[in-house]
Every structure is written in C-alpha cells, then in structure tokens.
Amino acid sequence: MRELIDRYIDAYNRMDVPAMLATMDREVVFENYTKGVLSVRTQGVDELSHLALSSLHLFASRRQIITAFREHGDTAATADILFDGTFAIDLPNGIRAGQGISMTGRSEYRVTNGLLAYIADYSE
C-alpha cells in the first residue's frame, strides 16, 4: 500500500495527472476538508481528472511530503503531510504569483483491488 501511495504522491508532486490517475480505481472518491468542513468532493476518475487538470495552473510548483505513515489493515492508511507550494498566478484573495504556502495536514486512503478507491485530504 505504501508503494502505491508513494507513486500517487510522486505523480502529484510532478503535476503528472495521467500518472496520478493510473493509481486510482475508476470509482475513486476524493474529498478535501478545510478546518473540518468538506470543501470539495469528486466521485469517479473523470471528475477527479477534471478537478486536477483545472487546478494545475494555480501552482508553479507543489509538493507533498509524508512525515508519518500508518497502515490500518490491508486496505486503509493515514499519512501526515507537509505541503509546500508556490503560486503561479495572482488570486482574488490577495495572494500573488510567486508567493509560497506551507501547511500541514493529513490524508486518508483506502485501497480496493490494488488501486486507490478513496482519498481524503484534511488541512487547517
């Protein structure tokens, strides 16, 4: 399971959407929680592909680093994540191109038939 998650994160860090999707089940569910509130949810690889491709332009660079990893049986895992990124564009909220962001969070994963079936990212 760790190898699969490492492949997903490596592809994410390289902004390689096809390689990210290659680690996922066709019915993958992706959720993003900010301060405990669900902010994004996709169902299926096509919806997640659309989200991933449409957000690529936001960052000049980005990376997730696993700082701790726990497996829960054969089908679930949790990773503590450090996220660093540099914005590529100016945003309406005042963030400017070239500005960096760094935050911690966690990601939860579930695996079905050797592929990621569920990914949930949590950040403050």
Side-chain angles (χ1 to χ4, degrees), residues 29-42 103-108 110 118-124:
V29 171
F30 171 78
E31 297 176 336
N32 184 279
Y33 293 86
T34 304
K35 296 182 180 179
V37 177
L38 178 65
S39 58
V40 175
R41 185 176 198 278
T42 64
M103 62 183 168
T104 58
R106 80 177 189 284
S107 295
E108 296 178 358
R110 290 186 212 132
Y118 177 79
I119 303 167
D121 291 340
Y122 296 84
S123 65
E124 293 300 312

Side-chain angles (χ1 to χ4, degrees), residues 5-73:
I5 293 166
D6 285 343
R7 281 193 357 247
Y8 161 71
I9 289 178
D10 177 63
Y12 175 91
N13 290 347
R14 291 183 288 112
M15 297 187 193
D16 184 344
V17 174
M20 286 171 49
L21 299 176
T23 65
M24 297 178 193
D25 184 82
R26 293 278 317 149
E27 298 303 318
V28 64
V29 171
F30 171 78
E31 297 176 336
N32 184 279
Y33 293 86
T34 304
K35 296 182 180 179
V37 177
L38 178 65
S39 58
V40 175
R41 185 176 198 278
T42 64
Q43 173 124 21
V45 75
D46 293 335
E47 284 184 18
L48 184 54
S49 175
H50 177 74
L51 174 66
L53 290 170
S54 66
S55 61
L56 279 179
H57 75 284
L58 295 175
F59 289 96
S61 65
R62 67 182 187 194
R63 68 181 176 152
Q64 290 186 27
I65 300 168
I66 295 176
T67 59
F69 186 82
R70 298 166 299 286
E71 289 189 17
H72 313 288

Side-chain angles (χ1 to χ4, degrees), residues 93-120:
N93 65 0
I95 291 175
R96 297 287 174 233
Q99 187 174 338
I101 183 173
S102 183
M103 62 183 168
T104 58
R106 80 177 189 284
S107 295
E108 296 178 358
Y109 305 94
R110 290 186 212 132
V111 174
T112 301
N113 298 322
L115 295 170
L116 294 170
Y118 177 79
I119 303 167

